[in-house]
C-alpha cells in the first residue's frame, strides 16, 4: 500500500514539474479572468483559439471593474416605432423633390492626348470611326436608291403626286449617287485619306455619310462667312435700300419694282455674283457664265421647293427640315427657335410666290444679306 502511494506521489510530482516548465516556455495572458497560454501553433489551430477567445469574453466569471455595454441593443419603445422616419436618418428614404437628394457631378472629360504616340492613336481611332460611319452611310444610300426607284415608277405609271419630303429624297439621292463614284474610289484605294476629305472637301461626301456633329460644324462656319459678308455689304451699301425697307412686305415690293432690273443676272458683275454664290453656300470660283448658271440652278430648285412647302404647309416640316430649308435660302438656322424658323421661312415664301410683283432672284439673295441677323416677329415684318 505504501509503495502504491509512493508511486502516485512520484507521478504527480513529475506532472507538476512538466506543467511548470511548459508555463515558462509558453507565457500566458489573462482574458476575462481565464488564463490562456500562448502555445506555438500552426494555422490550422487559429479557428479553435478564436472560438476560445470569443467564448471567454461572453462567459467570463470574473466581475469587471467597469460595466460593459450590452452586446444586443435594447428594443426601442413602442411609441418610437409609430413615429415616421425623418429624412436623412438611417433607414429613411428622402422624397424625390427633397433637397437631401444630391446628384453627383458628371465625370470630367478626358484630357487631350499628349505626345506624338498618343495623338497618333487618337487620330487613328477617330479615322476608324469615320470609316465605319461612311460604310453605314453607303448602305443607307443604297436603301434610299430603292425607295426613289419605286417613287419614280409610281409617279410615272400611277400618276403619284410627290410630297415635299419625297421630292427632297429624290433630289438628295440623285446628288449623292453622283458623289458616290469619286467617293467610292477614295474609299477603296485610299481609305486613310477619308478624314482629310471630310474636313477639306465635304462637297464630295454623300449626305448620308455626314454625321450630325459634322453638319452642325459646317453650318457654324457658313454662318460666320455670311456674317462677315453681311457686315461688309451694309458698310459699303450706297443704295436707297435699308434693312427696315426689306423687312416690310409692302416696302419690299416697292423696292422690287424700282430696282428690280439692277438685280438681273446680266447686269450684276462677276464679283457680286461670286459673293451671291458663296452666301448661298455655293462655290464662288469660275467665270461669270458659270456663276450665273450655278446660281440660277439653285434658285430654280428653291422655287420648286417653295411651291411644295406652300402646298404641304410649313407646319408639316420638322425642326431639322426647317433648319435645312432656312440654311438653303441663306437665312439663319443656328441658335434660333422653331417659331423663328417658321416665320422667316413664311416671309420668304410670301416674297418668292408673290403675285403683286415678280421679285428677281438676285434681290432675294441681296435681301437675305441684310436680314441675316433679324428677329422675325410676324410673317410680314421683322425688326
Amino acid at each position: 500500500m505504501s509503495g502504491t502511494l509512493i508511486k502516485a506521489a512520484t507521478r504527480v510530482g513529475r506532472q507538476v514539474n512538466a506543467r511548470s516548465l511548459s508555463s515558462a516556455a509558453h507565457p500566458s495572458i489573462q482574458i476575462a479572468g481565464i488564463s490562456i497560454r500562448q502555445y506555438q501553433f500552426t494555422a490550422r489551430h487559429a479557428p479553435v483559439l478564436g472560438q476560445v477567445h470569443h467564448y471567454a469574453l461572453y462567459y467570463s466569471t470574473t466581475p469587471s471593474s467597469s460595466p460593459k455595454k450590452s452586446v444586443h441593443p435594447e428594443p426601442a419603445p413602442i411609441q418610437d416605432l409609430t413615429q415616421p422616419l425623418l429624412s436623412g436618418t438611417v433607414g429613411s428614404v428622402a422624397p424625390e423633390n427633397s433637397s437631401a437628394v444630391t446628384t453627383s457631378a458628371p465625370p470630367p472629360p478626358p484630357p487631350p492626348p499628349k505626345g506624338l504616340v498618343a495623338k497618333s492613336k487618337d487620330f487613328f481611332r477617330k479615322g476608324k470611326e469615320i470609316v465605319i460611319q461612311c460604310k453605314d452611310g453607303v448602305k443607307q444610300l443604297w436603301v434610299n436608291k430603292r425607295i426613289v426607284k419605286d417613287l419614280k415608277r409610281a409617279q410615272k405609271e400611277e400618276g403619284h403626286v410627290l410630297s415635299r419630303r419625297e421630292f427632297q429624297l429624290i433630289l438628295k439621292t440623285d446628288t449623292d449617287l453622283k458623289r458616290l463614284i469619286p467617293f467610292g474610289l477614295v474609299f477603296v484605294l485610299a481609305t486613310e485619306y477619308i478624314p482629310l476629305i471630310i474636313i477639306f472637301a465635304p462637297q464630295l461626301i454623300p449626305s448620308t455619310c455626314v454625321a450630325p456633329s459634322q453638319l452642325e460644324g459646317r453650318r457654324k462656319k457658313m454662318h460666320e462667312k455670311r456674317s462677315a459678308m453681311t457686315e461688309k455689304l451694309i458698310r459699303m451699301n450706297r443704295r436707297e435700300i435699308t434693312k427696315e425697307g426689306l423687312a416690310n412686305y409692302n416696302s419690299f415690293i416697292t423696292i422690287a419694282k424700282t430696282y428690280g432690273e439692277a438685280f438681273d443676272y446680266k447686269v450684276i458683275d462677276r464679283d457680286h455674283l461670286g459673293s451671291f454664290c458663296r452666301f448661298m453656300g455655293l462655290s464662288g470660283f469660275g467665270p461669270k457664265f458659270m456663276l450665273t448658271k450655278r446660281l440660277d440652278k439653285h434658285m430654280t430648285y428653291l422655287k420648286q421647293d417653295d411651291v411644295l412647302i406652300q402646298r404641304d404647309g410649313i407646319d408639316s416640316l420638322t425642326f431639322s427640315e426647317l433648319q435645312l430649308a432656312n440654311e438653303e435660302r441663306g437665312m439663319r438656322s443656328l441658335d434660333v427657335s422653331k417659331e423663328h424658323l417658321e416665320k422667316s421661312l413664311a416671309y420668304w415664301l410670301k416674297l418668292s410666290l408673290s403675285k403683286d410683283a415678280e421679285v428677281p432672284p438676285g434681290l432675294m439673295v441681296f435681301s437675305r444679306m441684310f436680314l441675316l441677323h433679324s428677329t422675325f416677329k410676324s410673317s410680314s415684318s421683322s425688326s
Side-chain angles (χ1 to χ4, degrees):
M1 184 70 179
S2 61
T4 303
L5 293 175
I6 294 172
K7 291 181 180 180
T10 304
R11 191 181 300 111
V12 170
R14 290 176 179 176
Q15 293 177 356
V16 170
N17 293 334
R19 289 180 180 179
S20 61
L21 292 174
S22 176
S23 300
H26 303 282
S28 61
I29 58 175
Q30 293 290 333
I31 299 179
I34 299 177
S35 178
I36 300 177
R37 295 189 181 91
Q38 296 180 346
Y39 293 97
Q40 300 293 330
F41 55 89
T42 60
R44 62 190 181 88
H45 298 105
V48 179
L49 292 180
Q51 293 180 3
V52 172
H53 181 267
H54 174 76
Y55 290 114
L57 290 177
Y58 289 104
Y59 297 97
S60 174
T61 57
T62 304
S64 177
S65 57
S66 60
K68 297 287 185 178
K69 186 177 180 180
S70 175
V71 176
H72 301 284
E74 295 181 359
I78 297 179
Q79 59 271 19
D80 294 342
L81 298 178
T82 59
Q83 297 178 358
L85 292 174
L86 298 178
S87 176
T89 60
V90 178
S92 65
V93 179
E96 294 182 357
N97 57 353
S98 174
S99 59
V101 179
T102 57
T103 57
S104 58
K114 297 181 179 180
L116 181 61
V117 177
K119 290 183 179 179
S120 301
K121 290 182 178 179
D122 185 68
F123 176 78
F124 283 110
R125 178 185 62 81
K126 293 181 179 179
K128 185 178 179 180
E129 293 177 356
I130 292 176
V131 170
I132 296 174
Q133 167 193 323
C134 293
K135 186 183 296 184
D136 296 339
V138 172
K139 293 180 181 179
Q140 182 62 42
L141 178 58
W142 206 252
V143 174
N144 293 345
K145 180 184 176 182
R146 295 199 297 266
I147 297 175
V148 167
K149 184 178 179 180
D150 295 338
L151 287 175
K152 290 181 177 180
R153 185 177 66 250
Q155 184 183 16
K156 183 178 180 180
E157 298 177 359
E158 303 175 6
H160 174 69
V161 179
L162 296 176
S163 64
R164 194 258 177 183
R165 191 169 288 112
E166 292 172 343
F167 170 75
Q168 286 288 331
L169 179 62
I170 293 176
L171 186 67
K172 298 298 181 185
T173 302
D174 292 343
T175 305
D176 290 340
L177 289 175
K178 294 178 182 179
R179 296 175 178 177
L180 186 61
I181 298 176
F183 176 76
L185 293 176
V186 176
F187 188 84
V188 174
L189 301 178
T191 309
E192 61 275 9
Y193 291 106
I194 289 180
L196 300 178
I197 294 177
I198 291 179
I199 297 174
F200 297 104
Q203 64 275 7
L204 300 178
I205 306 298
S207 61
T208 54
C209 300
V210 180
S213 58
Q214 298 171 352
L215 181 61
E216 185 178 359
R218 190 184 304 176
R219 286 176 175 173
K220 288 181 179 179
K221 292 181 180 179
M222 190 67 217
H223 181 70
E224 293 175 357
K225 293 180 180 179
R226 286 174 175 171
S227 298
M229 296 175 66
T230 296
E231 294 177 0
K232 183 178 180 181
L233 176 66
I234 295 176
R235 186 172 59 252
M236 298 178 61
N237 181 44
R238 295 293 183 272
R239 299 178 182 269
E240 296 180 0
I241 300 177
T242 61
K243 175 182 175 181
E244 291 74 14
L246 295 173
N248 183 270
Y249 174 76
N250 295 327
S251 300
F252 196 103
I253 295 300
T254 303
I255 294 174
K257 293 178 179 180
T258 305
Y259 301 100
E261 297 180 357
F263 292 95
D264 188 81
Y265 292 143
K266 298 179 181 179
V267 179
I268 303 175
D269 56 26
R270 184 203 169 278
D271 294 336
H272 285 86
L273 278 176
S275 299
F276 286 0
C277 288
R278 286 191 294 270
F279 188 84
M280 300 301 289
L282 307 174
S283 175
F285 297 98
K288 181 179 178 180
F289 76 92
M290 290 184 62
L291 297 175
T292 302
K293 183 179 180 180
R294 192 177 301 149
L295 184 60
D296 183 65
K297 182 180 179 181
H298 183 71
M299 299 303 293
T300 303
Y301 149 71
L302 291 181
K303 194 80 170 183
Q304 298 175 353
D305 195 41
D306 292 343
V307 175
L308 295 176
I309 294 177
Q310 185 75 10
R311 186 194 66 188
D312 296 347
I314 298 179
D315 298 338
S316 63
L317 303 181
T318 62
F319 184 78
S320 58
E321 290 174 341
L322 284 170
Q323 280 188 312
L324 182 59
N326 280 265
E327 180 73 21
E328 291 177 338
R329 289 159 176 79
M331 297 183 291
R332 189 159 47 128
S333 61
L334 295 176
D335 301 329
V336 291
S337 63
K338 184 179 180 180
E339 182 182 5
H340 174 90
L341 295 175
E342 291 176 346
K343 291 182 177 180
S344 61
L345 182 59
Y347 186 50
W348 169 280
L349 295 179
K350 190 172 184 178
L351 294 172
S352 175
L353 306 177
S354 175
K355 297 180 180 180
D356 298 328
E358 183 178 357
V359 181
L363 180 58
M364 293 292 293
V365 179
F366 183 80
S367 64
R368 297 309 101 181
M369 293 182 177
F370 271 89
L371 302 177
L372 179 64
H373 299 288
S374 299
T375 302
F376 288 85
K377 294 182 178 180
S378 63
S379 60
S380 61
S381 64
S382 66
S383 61

